[in-house]
């Protein structure tokens, strides 16, 4: 990796250089450019690597040679001598991290994009083109950064290169992988989203081990070495056995450590190219520098790194190899990181002394600064002028774009791209996937592990159900079995079933987290809708059965319901199916809305409507036909659960009326609740509950396919439509 060492060797922190007055004089540090009026010759792009006819020639501008050594792949990247201009700017700097000991060499991938344009309808008000005719390349063993202000097209370009754009986006232009027009295969690349989607109840090692089991085929013991390599690559050794989210007695990982865990999840596949959307998202300066040094060490193994960045410190900026600068979808510069500074100087916007290069770039091309200029027109700074903020960003963007198009840097990039695409390199092959049975087993085990540790969402719900059963049971204790207590027993069963179902809202945060984890894993092809639902329902069985049998027995004996083991077990089974249906309802709402507040609000409203139409407050036959009778009372699972429990309680019983006449339990309930005289009716109600649980899971599968897979929600979809109308 001599190329990386030459371009990032010996970078020194700007703070030490800026601490003394003499440092204000232009020096050889890369962020101190020539004064206006000085020499403005552009930095030569002669160091850009090129493909030669013989890729095995070590003296070529770019030579990538894959060798088999000890059963592993290795990559040799040939380099050229560093130009005098770059050497002068690089004279005092922060050293690049050395090659990790024991690290496995990776056969990196060269990626070239030519005239790449991405259009997304309705994405922007002024234009559908999010990325406009972008050109560039990324080489093995290097870090290529896509920089720009907000809404400049950074993430869209990154997704276009990785082939992860939504169906609504249209791509024009060409993307070459190792010189061939082909997409990236499964396992050859990794993509890290901007936001961390982790499971706080697992340790770092457990989380990565589950990810390895979901991604890689083979036996379990073969994945341990892969997980340990990923932990070592991301410098997570001291946090390997620490819970990601922590618990009441121990803090979890900080934002920088969580970000590295997200990257390590993709490294278990040993990708040849890694795409990262904002690796420094919500990181402080120390965590950002540690992250970049870690990624630089990862790049030294041969991996191709492409990521987006919004802003960075001077030390972090010095670790980049190449930069693609975007503004409103336009490419203002692509090339060596140090050459970008010279490009701004050539365009008439030299980087001031004591200012970070990335700050200077964004200040020049971010149109949001125009608002600040408009606000400050009547103000004055200490010197009586606004010399630091009076630059017109629109003029700066046009000037930088025109200067780059006519510069030797753009010509050198085109020449390099041409040589990189002249001949095809080694083709990428898709790696094997874990079987569906393995993934279901892993997801089931992981969910069970999470449930055993998430006391706020699972154990708290169990405690609340037991308390509710105790409260309802003691409130209705001492009931007799005479005809006068029929209405009171119906009320006790209704209150217990309805309020115990309502307590399922406690699990909304946990369900929402599971859906987000699934969306992240599905986007990387680590999971699927059927696999996720099967694992989720299998993992929920033990927990729901524990709630149903514990709370049912407490309520059953306190309320003094019908004696008999068979009747008691039907009560437990009926309540278990009720909870299973309710769990499906919660999952449907959470998947559709993907927002905690609106999910909880919607579920409370739905439960209230179902209680009103369940037949307790007013017998179902007396409900208004439209809406309440059809279809609400037939959709409410309370109706079938309570009806089955009442039939189980009073089927085959009789009550004496006076000294001669007796009535059946069915006749006793006629004026209180609608039940069927059929002796098999309670089992039919149980079957209906089972079908409802299945239908809710089917709805979840459809929502996962049409909403989560497209990274959208019904709530955001409706909000976007309303905004477009406005």
């Amino acid at each position: 990796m001599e190329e990386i060492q030459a371009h990032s060797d010996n970078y020194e922190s700007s703070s030490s250089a800026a601490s003394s007055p003499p440092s204000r004089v232009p020096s050889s540090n890369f962020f101190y450019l020539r004064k206006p009026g000085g020499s403005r010759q552009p930095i030569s792009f002669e160091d850009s690597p090129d493909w030669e006819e013989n890729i095995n020639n070590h003296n070529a501008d770019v030579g990538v040679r894959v060798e088999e050594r000890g059963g592993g792949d290795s990559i040799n990247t040939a380099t050229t001598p560093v130009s005098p201009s770059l050497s002068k700017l690089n004279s005092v700097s922060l050293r690049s991290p050395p090659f990790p000991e024991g690290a496995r060499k990776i056969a990196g991938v060269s990626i070239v994009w030519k005239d790449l344009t991405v259009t997304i309808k309705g994405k922007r008000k002024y234009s559908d083109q999010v990325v406009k005719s972008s050109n560039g390349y990324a080489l093995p063993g290097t870090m290529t950064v896509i920089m720009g202000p907000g809404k400049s097209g950074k993430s869209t370009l990154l997704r276009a290169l990785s082939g992860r754009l939504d169906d609504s986006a249209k791509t024009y232009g060409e993307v070459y992988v190792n010189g061939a027009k082909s997409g990236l295969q499964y396992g050859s690349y990794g993509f890290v989203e901007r936001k961390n989607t982790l499971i706080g109840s697992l340790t770092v090692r457990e989380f990565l081990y589950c990810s390895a089991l979901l991604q890689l085929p083979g036996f379990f013991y073969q994945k341990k070495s892969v997980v340990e390599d990923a932990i070592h690559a991301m410098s997570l050794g001291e946090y390997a056995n620490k819970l990601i989210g922590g618990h009441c007695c121990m803090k979890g990982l900080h934002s920088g450590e969580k970000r590295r865990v997200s990257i390590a999840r993709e490294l278990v596949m040993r990708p040849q190219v890694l795409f990262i959307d904002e690796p420094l998202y919500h990181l402080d300066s120390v965590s950002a520098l540690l992250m970049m040094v870690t990624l630089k060490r990862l790049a030294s193994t041969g991996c191709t790194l492409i990521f987006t960045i919004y802003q960075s410190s001077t030390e972090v900026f010095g670790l980049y190899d190449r930069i693609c600068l975007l503004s409103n979808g336009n490419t203002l510069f692509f090339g060596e990181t140090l050459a970008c500074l010279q490009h701004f100087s050539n365009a008439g916007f030299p980087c001031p002394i004591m200012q970070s290069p990335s700050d200077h770039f964004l200040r020049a091309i971010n149109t949001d600064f125009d608002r600040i200029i408009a606000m400050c027109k009547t103000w004055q700074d200490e010197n009586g002028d606004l010399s630091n903020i009076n630059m017109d960003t629109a003029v700066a963007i046009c000037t930088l774009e025109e200067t780059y198009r006519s510069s030797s840097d753009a010509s050198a990039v085109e020449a390099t791209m041409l040589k990189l695409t002249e001949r095809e390199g080694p083709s990428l092959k898709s790696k094997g996937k874990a079987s569906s049975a393995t993934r279901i087993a892993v997801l089931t085990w992981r969910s069970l592990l999470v449930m055993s540790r998430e006391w706020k969402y699972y154990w708290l719900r169990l405690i609340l159900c037991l308390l509710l059963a105790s409260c309802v049971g003691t409130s209705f204790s001492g009931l007799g079995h005479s005809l006068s207590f029929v209405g009171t027993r119906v009320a006790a069963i209704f209150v217990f079933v309805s309020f115990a179902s309502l307590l399922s809202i406690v699990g909304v945060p946990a369900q929402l987290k599971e859906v987000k984890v699934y969306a992240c894993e599905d986007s990387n092809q680590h999971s699927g809708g059927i696999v996720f639902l099967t694992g989720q329902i299998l993992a929920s069985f033990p927990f729901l059965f524990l709630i149903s049998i514990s709370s049912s027995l407490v309520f059953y004996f306190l309320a003094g319901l019908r004696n008999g083991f068979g009747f008691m077990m039907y009560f437990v089974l009926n309540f278990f199916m009720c909870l299973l249906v309710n769990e499906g309802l919660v999952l449907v709402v959470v998947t559709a809305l993907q927002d905690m507040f609106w999910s909880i609000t919607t579920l409370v409203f739905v439960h209230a409507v179902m209680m009103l139409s369940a037949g307790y407050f007013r017998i179902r036959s007396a409900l208004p036909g439209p809406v309440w009778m059809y279809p609400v009372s037939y959709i409410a699972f309370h109706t079938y659960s309570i009806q089955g429990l009442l039939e189980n309680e009073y089927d085959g019983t009789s009550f004496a009326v006076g000294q001669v006449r007796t009535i059946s339990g069915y006749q006793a309930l006629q004026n209180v609740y609608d039940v069927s005289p059929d002796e098999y009716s309670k089992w039919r109600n149980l079957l209906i509950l089972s079908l409802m649980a299945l239908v809710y899971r089917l709805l979840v599968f459809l929502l996962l396919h049409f909403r989560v897979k497209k990274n959208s929600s019904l709530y955001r979809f409706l909000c976007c439509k309303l905004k477009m109308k406005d």
Side-chain angles (χ1 to χ4, degrees), residues 70-199:
D73 297 336
S74 64
I75 182 167
N76 293 335
T77 306
T79 58
T80 59
V82 182
S83 64
S85 57
L86 290 179
S87 298
K88 184 177 180 180
L89 292 174
N90 257 349
S91 58
V92 181
S93 43
L94 176 69
R95 277 198 171 275
S96 177
F99 183 81
E101 295 183 2
R104 183 177 182 269
K105 288 265 187 173
I106 299 175
V109 174
S110 68
I111 297 179
V112 177
W113 59 98
K114 183 178 180 181
D115 294 331
L116 189 61
T117 300
V118 180
T119 61
I120 302 177
K121 188 176 181 180
K123 181 73 173 180
R124 293 175 179 170
K125 296 181 180 180
Y126 51 86
S127 175
D128 291 338
Q129 290 187 347
V130 183
V131 179
K132 307 172 186 177
S133 300
S134 179
N135 296 313
Y137 60 88
L139 297 176
T142 62
M143 294 198 307
T144 303
V145 57
I146 305 173
M147 181 180 288
K151 299 181 180 180
S152 61
K154 305 186 298 297
S155 299
T156 303
L157 177 57
L158 189 73
R159 292 183 178 275
L161 296 178
S162 60
R164 294 168 61 96
L165 286 173
D166 295 336
D167 297 336
S168 60
K170 294 183 179 180
T171 306
Y172 307 92
E174 299 169 342
V175 177
Y176 297 86
V177 179
N178 279 347
K181 294 181 182 179
S182 61
L184 294 168
Q185 302 297 323
Y186 173 80
S188 63
Y189 79 100
F191 191 97
V192 183
E193 297 284 353
R194 179 178 303 177
K195 294 184 179 180
N196 299 322
T197 308
L198 306 174
I199 303 176

Side-chain angles (χ1 to χ4, degrees), residues 29 76 207 435 455 509-510 527 536 548 554 565 592 694:
N29 288 341
N76 293 335
F207 179 76
S435 63
W455 66 271
S527 181
Q536 195 270 344
S548 61
V554 172
F565 180 77
L694 184 62

Side-chain angles (χ1 to χ4, degrees), residues 26-27 29-44 84-86 88-89 338-339 341-346 348-353:
S27 69
N29 288 341
F30 73 94
F31 50 87
Y32 293 157
L33 288 184
R34 303 172 181 87
K35 292 182 178 180
S39 175
R40 290 191 177 182
Q41 294 298 324
I43 295 177
S44 174
S85 57
L86 290 179
K88 184 177 180 180
L89 292 174
L338 304 182
L341 289 160
Q342 185 65 60
H343 168 66
F344 270 73
S345 181
N346 295 339
F349 308 106
C351 181
I353 297 176

Side-chain angles (χ1 to χ4, degrees), residues 656-671:
V657 180
Q659 296 180 353
V660 180
R661 184 183 172 212
T662 61
I663 61 173
S664 64
Y666 167 72
Q667 293 174 330
L669 288 172
Q670 277 186 334
N671 297 326

Side-chain angles (χ1 to χ4, degrees), residues 79 87 98 125 141 182 194 200 207 223 231 248 261 275 288 386 394 430 480 517 522 570 606 616 623 631 654 698 721:
T79 58
S87 298
K125 296 181 180 180
S182 61
R194 179 178 303 177
F207 179 76
K223 288 137 175 130
I231 291 174
C248 56
V261 174
F275 300 92
L386 299 171
S430 178
V517 171
D522 182 69
Y570 178 86
V606 169
Y616 171 72
L623 287 173
S654 61
L698 181 61
K721 290 295 183 181

Side-chain angles (χ1 to χ4, degrees), residues 496 552 555-556 561 567-575 645:
F496 173 72
S552 295
F555 170 75
Y556 199 89
L561 298 183
F567 299 115
M568 182 184 65
M569 292 310 299
Y570 178 86
F571 190 99
V572 173
L573 185 59
N574 182 292
F575 186 56
L645 293 177

Side-chain angles (χ1 to χ4, degrees), residues 224-498:
K224 292 183 178 179
S225 60
V226 177
V227 172
E228 295 303 323
D229 290 344
I231 291 174
H232 176 72
M234 286 289 103
S235 304
L236 293 169
E238 59 181 307
Y239 311 105
N241 297 319
K242 189 175 181 180
L243 290 177
I244 297 176
H247 53 76
C248 56
C249 301
M250 182 178 65
K251 292 184 179 180
L253 302 183
H254 297 293
S255 56
E257 296 152 3
K258 289 181 179 179
R259 198 72 179 125
R260 281 182 279 152
V261 174
S262 298
I263 298 175
R265 172 171 53 187
E266 300 303 319
L267 293 183
V268 298
M269 202 68 179
R270 287 175 175 168
Q272 296 166 280
V273 56
L274 186 62
F275 300 92
I276 311 175
D277 193 4
E278 296 282 359
L280 308 183
Y281 188 66
H282 285 176
L283 299 188
D284 55 47
S285 58
V286 176
S287 300
L289 181 59
L290 177 59
M291 171 67 76
M292 283 295 103
V293 171
T294 304
L295 292 178
K296 191 71 174 180
R297 186 176 66 171
L298 176 63
S300 66
T301 63
C303 183
T304 305
L305 295 182
I306 306 176
F307 52 87
T308 62
I309 208 76
Y310 177 77
Q311 199 169 12
S312 63
S313 63
T314 304
E315 295 88 349
V316 170
F317 181 84
L319 294 173
Y320 306 148
D321 292 299
R322 292 177 184 84
I323 181 173
C324 178
L325 194 61
L326 298 179
S327 180
N328 295 329
N330 299 307
T331 302
L332 305 185
F333 178 81
F334 179 86
E336 305 271 345
T337 305
L338 304 182
C340 185
L341 289 160
Q342 185 65 60
H343 168 66
F344 270 73
S345 181
N346 295 339
F349 308 106
C351 181
I353 297 176
M354 308 295 293
Q355 186 173 2
S356 170
S358 62
D359 291 341
H360 176 64
F361 296 162
L362 295 179
R363 168 62 190 88
I365 65 177
N366 193 346
T367 56
D368 290 337
F369 277 101
D370 292 336
R371 302 177 185 177
I372 302 177
I373 296 174
M375 292 171 57
C376 298
K377 281 183 177 180
T378 58
W379 298 353
Q380 287 187 343
D381 57 12
E382 295 179 355
N383 299 323
D385 59 73
L386 299 171
S387 57
N388 292 330
I389 56 173
N390 58 5
M391 183 190 304
D392 189 349
T393 54
V395 175
I397 292 173
C398 293
T399 304
L400 288 168
E401 188 176 4
E402 293 298 328
T403 303
Y404 174 68
R405 287 179 180 178
S406 60
S407 67
S408 59
D409 296 338
S411 302
V413 170
E414 293 180 0
T416 304
M417 291 168 54
L418 180 62
K419 291 185 178 181
L420 286 171
T421 55
E422 278 182 352
R423 59 177 302 174
E424 296 185 5
S427 59
L428 301 180
K429 296 181 180 180
S430 178
K431 298 181 181 179
K433 299 181 180 180
S435 63
S436 297
T438 301
R439 289 180 172 180
I440 291 174
V442 172
L443 290 178
T444 304
W445 173 79
R446 189 179 71 181
S447 297
L448 287 173
L449 192 59
V450 170
M451 289 179 182
S452 65
R453 295 176 179 176
E454 286 281 2
W455 66 271
K456 291 188 297 184
Y457 305 132
Y458 294 99
W459 296 112
L460 179 60
R461 181 180 170 188
L462 175 61
I463 295 173
L464 291 177
C465 285
L466 289 174
L467 291 176
L468 176 66
S470 301
C471 293
V472 178
T474 53
S475 298
F476 291 92
S477 62
L479 297 179
H481 293 275
S482 63
L483 182 61
S484 60
F485 289 103
V486 171
T488 309
R489 286 179 177 271
V490 173
I493 293 176
F494 173 81
V495 170
F496 173 72
V497 172
S498 300

